[in-house]
Amino acid sequence: MDNPLLIWAILCLLAAVVLFLIELLVPSAGILGMLASLCLVASIVMFFGVNWTLGLVMSIVSLAALPFLFALAIRVWPSTPLARLLTLGNPNQSAETLDEDPTAGAVSPNQADELIGAQGVALNDLHPVGSCRFGQRKYDCIAEGSFIEKGAPVRAVGWSGAQVKVRLRR
């Protein structure tokens, strides 16, 4: 590795990978992604400066790796702290709660009419969808108005499809 251009090409390639991974964790409005792209292009140009064959190989490897990196990013990003902060939370949260109890689930129109006015408790955060307990039964619920925290007292005010509409009880 006597060629300094080869060392710089490898460093730019590593910088591109690191910047791409940081882009997943830090809200940068795509700036870090653009810097990663520029570092990748610069490293490929430098690899061509070292050797045309090496430049072609790195170009092909980079083009082949990009779809896999994007797929990895799409798979990993929802579980990052930033994604949980920016989104409404864990999309499987209500499903996990409902799986615990076989009596949980959707509300039928007959049950919904009986539930209107009933008081219950939010079993998980409703933003806006989650589950609530009315009596001894869990129901899929949708918060009407604002976010409802886990454990908050709720009142059924209607129904929409197979979900009970709830509001904070005051």
Side-chain angles (χ1 to χ4, degrees):
M1 298 229 318
D2 296 341
N3 191 344
L5 195 56
L6 180 62
I7 294 170
W8 280 107
I10 292 171
L11 289 175
C12 280
L13 183 63
L14 291 174
V17 171
V18 168
L19 285 169
F20 178 75
L21 293 174
I22 293 174
E23 173 69 23
L24 292 174
L25 303 173
V26 177
S28 69
I31 293 171
L32 292 176
M34 292 302 285
L35 287 174
S37 299
L38 290 174
C39 284
L40 180 64
V41 169
S43 76
I44 290 173
V45 168
M46 286 186 239
F47 278 122
F48 272 112
V50 172
N51 182 341
W52 276 91
T53 305
L54 185 59
L56 283 174
V57 168
M58 291 309 294
S59 297
I60 292 169
V61 167
S62 297
L63 287 174
L66 283 176
F68 294 107
L69 286 174
F70 283 120
L72 176 69
I74 289 170
R75 185 174 207 105
V76 168
W77 191 78
S79 62
T80 63
L82 175 65
R84 284 185 295 228
L85 179 69
L86 293 177
T87 60
L88 294 177
N90 182 357
N92 297 323
Q93 183 176 20
S94 65
E96 291 167 0
T97 303
L98 293 176
D99 288 343
E100 296 171 3
D101 186 358
T103 63
V107 63
S108 69
N110 295 339
Q111 292 171 323
D113 290 335
E114 294 172 8
L115 277 174
I116 293 176
Q119 297 182 3
V121 175
L123 296 175
N124 51 28
D125 292 340
L126 277 71
H127 32 150
V129 178
S131 60
C132 298
R133 181 176 300 279
F134 292 94
Q136 296 300 313
R137 187 166 159 96
K138 292 181 188 177
Y139 292 96
D140 295 333
C141 296
I142 185 164
E144 191 175 74
S146 65
F147 169 83
I148 297 176
E149 290 186 10
K150 177 181 179 178
V154 295
R155 182 174 43 90
V157 294
W159 56 282
S160 174
Q163 295 176 324
V164 179
K165 287 184 180 179
V166 295
R167 283 190 189 147
L168 274 173
R169 186 175 57 192
R170 297 180 193 238

PDB file of all heavy atoms in Angstrom, residues 10 20 24 26 39 43-45 55 69 74 76 80 86 88 94 114 118 125 159-160 162 164-165 169:
ATOM      1  N   ILE A  10      -9.555   4.219  -0.013  1.00  0.00           N
ATOM      2  CA  ILE A  10     -10.107   3.329   1.026  1.00  0.00           C
ATOM      3  C   ILE A  10     -10.713   4.154   2.156  1.00  0.00           C
ATOM      4  O   ILE A  10     -11.794   3.842   2.663  1.00  0.00           O
ATOM      5  CB  ILE A  10      -9.017   2.366   1.538  1.00  0.00           C
ATOM      6  CG1 ILE A  10      -8.631   1.384   0.419  1.00  0.00           C
ATOM      7  CG2 ILE A  10      -9.487   1.616   2.776  1.00  0.00           C
ATOM      8  CD1 ILE A  10      -7.431   0.534   0.725  1.00  0.00           C
ATOM      9  N   PHE A  20     -23.206   6.931   5.968  1.00  0.00           N
ATOM     10  CA  PHE A  20     -24.493   6.308   5.658  1.00  0.00           C
ATOM     11  C   PHE A  20     -25.121   5.732   6.928  1.00  0.00           C
ATOM     12  O   PHE A  20     -26.325   5.895   7.160  1.00  0.00           O
ATOM     13  CB  PHE A  20     -24.302   5.208   4.609  1.00  0.00           C
ATOM     14  CG  PHE A  20     -25.566   4.488   4.262  1.00  0.00           C
ATOM     15  CD1 PHE A  20     -26.524   5.077   3.461  1.00  0.00           C
ATOM     16  CD2 PHE A  20     -25.815   3.215   4.753  1.00  0.00           C
ATOM     17  CE1 PHE A  20     -27.703   4.427   3.151  1.00  0.00           C
ATOM     18  CE2 PHE A  20     -26.985   2.554   4.447  1.00  0.00           C
ATOM     19  CZ  PHE A  20     -27.930   3.166   3.643  1.00  0.00           C
ATOM     20  N   LEU A  24     -28.734   7.087   9.424  1.00  0.00           N
ATOM     21  CA  LEU A  24     -29.865   6.355   9.999  1.00  0.00           C
ATOM     22  C   LEU A  24     -30.210   6.842  11.404  1.00  0.00           C
ATOM     23  O   LEU A  24     -31.355   6.757  11.831  1.00  0.00           O
ATOM     24  CB  LEU A  24     -29.554   4.857  10.077  1.00  0.00           C
ATOM     25  CG  LEU A  24     -29.444   4.109   8.765  1.00  0.00           C
ATOM     26  CD1 LEU A  24     -28.998   2.684   9.023  1.00  0.00           C
ATOM     27  CD2 LEU A  24     -30.764   4.139   8.030  1.00  0.00           C
ATOM     28  N   VAL A  26     -29.167   9.996  12.928  1.00  0.00           N
ATOM     29  CA  VAL A  26     -29.182  11.434  13.193  1.00  0.00           C
ATOM     30  C   VAL A  26     -30.076  12.136  12.168  1.00  0.00           C
ATOM     31  O   VAL A  26     -29.925  11.903  10.970  1.00  0.00           O
ATOM     32  CB  VAL A  26     -27.741  11.998  13.114  1.00  0.00           C
ATOM     33  CG1 VAL A  26     -27.728  13.497  13.322  1.00  0.00           C
ATOM     34  CG2 VAL A  26     -26.844  11.312  14.116  1.00  0.00           C
ATOM     35  N   CYS A  39     -18.599  10.994  -0.901  1.00  0.00           N
ATOM     36  CA  CYS A  39     -17.415  10.226  -0.504  1.00  0.00           C
ATOM     37  C   CYS A  39     -17.300   8.951  -1.335  1.00  0.00           C
ATOM     38  O   CYS A  39     -16.196   8.559  -1.729  1.00  0.00           O
ATOM     39  CB  CYS A  39     -17.473   9.875   0.987  1.00  0.00           C
ATOM     40  SG  CYS A  39     -17.097  11.245   2.075  1.00  0.00           S
ATOM     41  N   SER A  43     -14.252   8.155  -3.782  1.00  0.00           N
ATOM     42  CA  SER A  43     -13.421   6.949  -3.630  1.00  0.00           C
ATOM     43  C   SER A  43     -13.355   6.158  -4.933  1.00  0.00           C
ATOM     44  O   SER A  43     -12.287   5.655  -5.303  1.00  0.00           O
ATOM     45  CB  SER A  43     -13.932   6.073  -2.492  1.00  0.00           C
ATOM     46  OG  SER A  43     -15.090   5.368  -2.862  1.00  0.00           O
ATOM     47  N   ILE A  44     -14.449   6.081  -5.662  1.00  0.00           N
ATOM     48  CA  ILE A  44     -14.428   5.361  -6.940  1.00  0.00           C
ATOM     49  C   ILE A  44     -13.517   6.070  -7.939  1.00  0.00           C
ATOM     50  O   ILE A  44     -12.739   5.424  -8.654  1.00  0.00           O
ATOM     51  CB  ILE A  44     -15.867   5.189  -7.484  1.00  0.00           C
ATOM     52  CG1 ILE A  44     -16.627   4.194  -6.605  1.00  0.00           C
ATOM     53  CG2 ILE A  44     -15.853   4.721  -8.930  1.00  0.00           C
ATOM     54  CD1 ILE A  44     -18.095   4.066  -6.925  1.00  0.00           C
ATOM     55  N   VAL A  45     -13.582   7.405  -7.974  1.00  0.00           N
ATOM     56  CA  VAL A  45     -12.695   8.160  -8.863  1.00  0.00           C
ATOM     57  C   VAL A  45     -11.240   7.900  -8.497  1.00  0.00           C
ATOM     58  O   VAL A  45     -10.384   7.700  -9.370  1.00  0.00           O
ATOM     59  CB  VAL A  45     -13.038   9.671  -8.809  1.00  0.00           C
ATOM     60  CG1 VAL A  45     -11.961  10.512  -9.481  1.00  0.00           C
ATOM     61  CG2 VAL A  45     -14.397   9.927  -9.432  1.00  0.00           C
ATOM     62  N   GLY A  55     -10.909   0.353 -10.302  1.00  0.00           N
ATOM     63  CA  GLY A  55     -12.010   1.312 -10.373  1.00  0.00           C
ATOM     64  C   GLY A  55     -13.292   0.668 -10.873  1.00  0.00           C
ATOM     65  O   GLY A  55     -14.378   0.908 -10.331  1.00  0.00           O
ATOM     66  N   LEU A  69     -27.878  -2.068   0.970  1.00  0.00           N
ATOM     67  CA  LEU A  69     -27.751  -1.072   2.038  1.00  0.00           C
ATOM     68  C   LEU A  69     -29.067  -0.336   2.268  1.00  0.00           C
ATOM     69  O   LEU A  69     -29.452  -0.077   3.407  1.00  0.00           O
ATOM     70  CB  LEU A  69     -26.633  -0.085   1.718  1.00  0.00           C
ATOM     71  CG  LEU A  69     -25.209  -0.607   1.877  1.00  0.00           C
ATOM     72  CD1 LEU A  69     -24.205   0.420   1.380  1.00  0.00           C
ATOM     73  CD2 LEU A  69     -24.928  -0.961   3.317  1.00  0.00           C
ATOM     74  N   ILE A  74     -33.971   0.452   5.507  1.00  0.00           N
ATOM     75  CA  ILE A  74     -35.424   0.415   5.673  1.00  0.00           C
ATOM     76  C   ILE A  74     -35.819  -0.564   6.763  1.00  0.00           C
ATOM     77  O   ILE A  74     -36.759  -0.344   7.519  1.00  0.00           O
ATOM     78  CB  ILE A  74     -36.093   0.061   4.327  1.00  0.00           C
ATOM     79  CG1 ILE A  74     -35.951   1.241   3.376  1.00  0.00           C
ATOM     80  CG2 ILE A  74     -37.550  -0.309   4.510  1.00  0.00           C
ATOM     81  CD1 ILE A  74     -36.348   0.938   1.947  1.00  0.00           C
ATOM     82  N   VAL A  76     -33.825  -1.525   9.395  1.00  0.00           N
ATOM     83  CA  VAL A  76     -33.261  -1.149  10.695  1.00  0.00           C
ATOM     84  C   VAL A  76     -33.852   0.154  11.224  1.00  0.00           C
ATOM     85  O   VAL A  76     -34.068   0.303  12.423  1.00  0.00           O
ATOM     86  CB  VAL A  76     -31.716  -1.042  10.584  1.00  0.00           C
ATOM     87  CG1 VAL A  76     -31.115  -0.390  11.809  1.00  0.00           C
ATOM     88  CG2 VAL A  76     -31.123  -2.414  10.367  1.00  0.00           C
ATOM     89  N   THR A  80     -34.784   2.319  15.423  1.00  0.00           N
ATOM     90  CA  THR A  80     -33.840   3.266  16.002  1.00  0.00           C
ATOM     91  C   THR A  80     -34.570   4.226  16.941  1.00  0.00           C
ATOM     92  O   THR A  80     -35.774   4.463  16.793  1.00  0.00           O
ATOM     93  CB  THR A  80     -33.124   4.087  14.906  1.00  0.00           C
ATOM     94  OG1 THR A  80     -34.087   4.857  14.200  1.00  0.00           O
ATOM     95  CG2 THR A  80     -32.346   3.189  13.959  1.00  0.00           C
ATOM     96  N   LEU A  86     -39.947   9.982  16.207  1.00  0.00           N
ATOM     97  CA  LEU A  86     -40.648  10.678  15.134  1.00  0.00           C
ATOM     98  C   LEU A  86     -41.961  10.031  14.740  1.00  0.00           C
ATOM     99  O   LEU A  86     -42.836  10.695  14.200  1.00  0.00           O
ATOM    100  CB  LEU A  86     -39.748  10.767  13.895  1.00  0.00           C
ATOM    101  CG  LEU A  86     -38.510  11.642  14.046  1.00  0.00           C
ATOM    102  CD1 LEU A  86     -37.669  11.583  12.784  1.00  0.00           C
ATOM    103  CD2 LEU A  86     -38.894  13.069  14.353  1.00  0.00           C
ATOM    104  N   LEU A  88     -45.362   7.297  15.602  1.00  0.00           N
ATOM    105  CA  LEU A  88     -46.341   7.161  16.674  1.00  0.00           C
ATOM    106  C   LEU A  88     -46.009   6.053  17.642  1.00  0.00           C
ATOM    107  O   LEU A  88     -46.785   5.761  18.530  1.00  0.00           O
ATOM    108  CB  LEU A  88     -47.721   6.913  16.064  1.00  0.00           C
ATOM    109  CG  LEU A  88     -48.262   8.085  15.267  1.00  0.00           C
ATOM    110  CD1 LEU A  88     -49.596   7.709  14.649  1.00  0.00           C
ATOM    111  CD2 LEU A  88     -48.428   9.299  16.140  1.00  0.00           C
ATOM    112  N   SER A  94     -50.130  -2.647  20.133  1.00  0.00           N
ATOM    113  CA  SER A  94     -51.482  -3.092  20.444  1.00  0.00           C
ATOM    114  C   SER A  94     -51.653  -4.558  20.094  1.00  0.00           C
ATOM    115  O   SER A  94     -52.360  -5.280  20.775  1.00  0.00           O
ATOM    116  CB  SER A  94     -52.520  -2.241  19.722  1.00  0.00           C
ATOM    117  OG  SER A  94     -52.406  -2.406  18.333  1.00  0.00           O
ATOM    118  N   GLU A 114     -73.887  -0.995  23.145  1.00  0.00           N
ATOM    119  CA  GLU A 114     -73.934  -1.236  24.592  1.00  0.00           C
ATOM    120  C   GLU A 114     -72.781  -0.551  25.311  1.00  0.00           C
ATOM    121  O   GLU A 114     -72.891  -0.188  26.474  1.00  0.00           O
ATOM    122  CB  GLU A 114     -73.894  -2.738  24.875  1.00  0.00           C
ATOM    123  CG  GLU A 114     -75.110  -3.495  24.380  1.00  0.00           C
ATOM    124  CD  GLU A 114     -74.951  -4.998  24.496  1.00  0.00           C
ATOM    125  OE1 GLU A 114     -73.955  -5.463  25.101  1.00  0.00           O
ATOM    126  OE2 GLU A 114     -75.818  -5.719  23.991  1.00  0.00           O
ATOM    127  N   ALA A 118     -69.761   3.704  28.492  1.00  0.00           N
ATOM    128  CA  ALA A 118     -69.052   2.864  29.463  1.00  0.00           C
ATOM    129  C   ALA A 118     -67.691   3.465  29.787  1.00  0.00           C
ATOM    130  O   ALA A 118     -67.088   4.156  28.970  1.00  0.00           O
ATOM    131  CB  ALA A 118     -68.894   1.453  28.915  1.00  0.00           C
ATOM    132  N   ASP A 125     -50.616   2.982  25.166  1.00  0.00           N
ATOM    133  CA  ASP A 125     -50.743   4.338  24.625  1.00  0.00           C
ATOM    134  C   ASP A 125     -51.603   4.300  23.374  1.00  0.00           C
ATOM    135  O   ASP A 125     -51.378   3.486  22.483  1.00  0.00           O
ATOM    136  CB  ASP A 125     -49.364   4.909  24.274  1.00  0.00           C
ATOM    137  CG  ASP A 125     -48.509   5.176  25.503  1.00  0.00           C
ATOM    138  OD1 ASP A 125     -49.086   5.295  26.605  1.00  0.00           O
ATOM    139  OD2 ASP A 125     -47.281   5.271  25.358  1.00  0.00           O
ATOM    140  N   TRP A 159     -68.420   4.396  17.975  1.00  0.00           N
ATOM    141  CA  TRP A 159     -67.638   3.364  17.337  1.00  0.00           C
ATOM    142  C   TRP A 159     -67.453   3.687  15.871  1.00  0.00           C
ATOM    143  O   TRP A 159     -68.244   4.399  15.267  1.00  0.00           O
ATOM    144  CB  TRP A 159     -68.232   1.984  17.541  1.00  0.00           C
ATOM    145  CG  TRP A 159     -69.661   1.818  17.084  1.00  0.00           C
ATOM    146  CD1 TRP A 159     -70.786   2.221  17.729  1.00  0.00           C
ATOM    147  CD2 TRP A 159     -70.103   1.214  15.883  1.00  0.00           C
ATOM    148  NE1 TRP A 159     -71.896   1.904  17.011  1.00  0.00           N
ATOM    149  CE2 TRP A 159     -71.503   1.266  15.869  1.00  0.00           C
ATOM    150  CE3 TRP A 159     -69.462   0.616  14.804  1.00  0.00           C
ATOM    151  CZ2 TRP A 159     -72.269   0.770  14.828  1.00  0.00           C
ATOM    152  CZ3 TRP A 159     -70.225   0.111  13.773  1.00  0.00           C
ATOM    153  CH2 TRP A 159     -71.605   0.185  13.795  1.00  0.00           C
ATOM    154  N   SER A 160     -66.359   3.190  15.322  1.00  0.00           N
ATOM    155  CA  SER A 160     -66.011   3.426  13.930  1.00  0.00           C
ATOM    156  C   SER A 160     -65.495   2.116  13.362  1.00  0.00           C
ATOM    157  O   SER A 160     -64.440   1.646  13.778  1.00  0.00           O
ATOM    158  CB  SER A 160     -64.935   4.506  13.835  1.00  0.00           C
ATOM    159  OG  SER A 160     -64.494   4.639  12.507  1.00  0.00           O
ATOM    160  N   ALA A 162     -64.761  -1.391  13.341  1.00  0.00           N
ATOM    161  CA  ALA A 162     -64.690  -2.402  14.391  1.00  0.00           C
ATOM    162  C   ALA A 162     -63.955  -1.874  15.623  1.00  0.00           C
ATOM    163  O   ALA A 162     -63.515  -2.644  16.467  1.00  0.00           O
ATOM    164  CB  ALA A 162     -63.991  -3.647  13.856  1.00  0.00           C
ATOM    165  N   VAL A 164     -63.778   0.900  18.966  1.00  0.00           N
ATOM    166  CA  VAL A 164     -64.519   1.751  19.887  1.00  0.00           C
ATOM    167  C   VAL A 164     -63.826   3.108  19.921  1.00  0.00           C
ATOM    168  O   VAL A 164     -62.613   3.190  20.091  1.00  0.00           O
ATOM    169  CB  VAL A 164     -64.539   1.143  21.307  1.00  0.00           C
ATOM    170  CG1 VAL A 164     -65.283   2.048  22.266  1.00  0.00           C
ATOM    171  CG2 VAL A 164     -65.125  -0.244  21.299  1.00  0.00           C
ATOM    172  N   LYS A 165     -64.587   4.193  19.754  1.00  0.00           N
ATOM    173  CA  LYS A 165     -64.037   5.537  19.887  1.00  0.00           C
ATOM    174  C   LYS A 165     -64.054   5.902  21.363  1.00  0.00           C
ATOM    175  O   LYS A 165     -65.077   5.730  22.035  1.00  0.00           O
ATOM    176  CB  LYS A 165     -64.879   6.550  19.113  1.00  0.00           C
ATOM    177  CG  LYS A 165     -64.747   6.474  17.632  1.00  0.00           C
ATOM    178  CD  LYS A 165     -65.557   7.608  16.999  1.00  0.00           C
ATOM    179  CE  LYS A 165     -65.461   7.590  15.510  1.00  0.00           C
ATOM    180  NZ  LYS A 165     -66.268   8.684  14.920  1.00  0.00           N
ATOM    181  N   ARG A 169     -61.569  10.314  30.209  1.00  0.00           N
ATOM    182  CA  ARG A 169     -62.649  10.523  31.173  1.00  0.00           C
ATOM    183  C   ARG A 169     -62.203  11.617  32.135  1.00  0.00           C
ATOM    184  O   ARG A 169     -61.114  11.596  32.667  1.00  0.00           O
ATOM    185  CB  ARG A 169     -62.906   9.206  31.920  1.00  0.00           C
ATOM    186  CG  ARG A 169     -64.095   9.264  32.845  1.00  0.00           C
ATOM    187  CD  ARG A 169     -64.341   7.905  33.433  1.00  0.00           C
ATOM    188  NE  ARG A 169     -63.136   7.434  34.128  1.00  0.00           N
ATOM    189  CZ  ARG A 169     -62.974   6.191  34.547  1.00  0.00           C
ATOM    190  NH1 ARG A 169     -63.908   5.298  34.345  1.00  0.00           N
ATOM    191  NH2 ARG A 169     -61.882   5.831  35.159  1.00  0.00           N
TER     192      ARG A 169
END
